[in-house]
Amino acid sequence: EAGCGAVRNLAGSAENEVKISDEGGIAVVLEAMKKHAEHAGVQETGCGAIRNLAGNADNEVKICEEGGIGVVLGAMRKHAAHAGVQATGCGAVRNLAFNADNEVKIASEGGIEVVLEAMRKHAEHAGVQEAG
């Protein structure tokens, strides 16, 4: 959880987004999310890291290539009741969807339904509503 949180925070700058990707950080975050799929804290900070890393166009492509869309949507499905996972997951989906190919992939993997369900389930949570 702390590792994904550190990457999330470091990926707050454009320069660091590139450095983290170049050092294999996308794969590390996705692997942590896969290994700790039951841990909502890892999923929340992992989705936050992916959200921030996807602020870079090259990273949007790389995240998709490395299976990140499925990992994020899986986290959102598994932790549907957790508003934090839903908010950061919606943010990751939003940023990944700036790439047209990713839009298609998100839709084909059921991402539209996942985001809408998050917004329905967490109607009173401003973070989910803003990101969704």
Side-chain angles (χ1 to χ4, degrees), residues 39-127:
H39 192 286
V42 172
Q43 301 309 304
E44 181 178 2
T45 56
C47 285
I50 296 301
R51 176 198 60 211
N52 290 356
L53 288 165
N56 173 283
D58 291 335
N59 286 354
E60 290 171 13
V61 173
K62 192 168 191 174
I63 290 165
C64 181
E65 290 173 348
E66 295 189 18
I69 291 171
V71 173
V72 169
L73 294 177
M76 293 178 72
R77 287 182 179 108
K78 185 172 286 294
H79 299 282
H82 192 286
V85 173
Q86 299 307 303
T88 57
C90 283
V93 171
R94 177 194 61 217
N95 286 356
L96 289 165
F98 284 117
N99 175 286
D101 292 335
N102 287 357
E103 271 186 48
V104 173
K105 180 86 167 158
I106 290 164
S108 73
E109 291 195 23
I112 294 169
E113 295 83 0
V114 171
V115 169
L116 293 175
E117 183 60 25
M119 293 177 72
R120 286 184 194 107
K121 186 171 282 220
H122 300 280
E124 301 303 316
H125 191 281

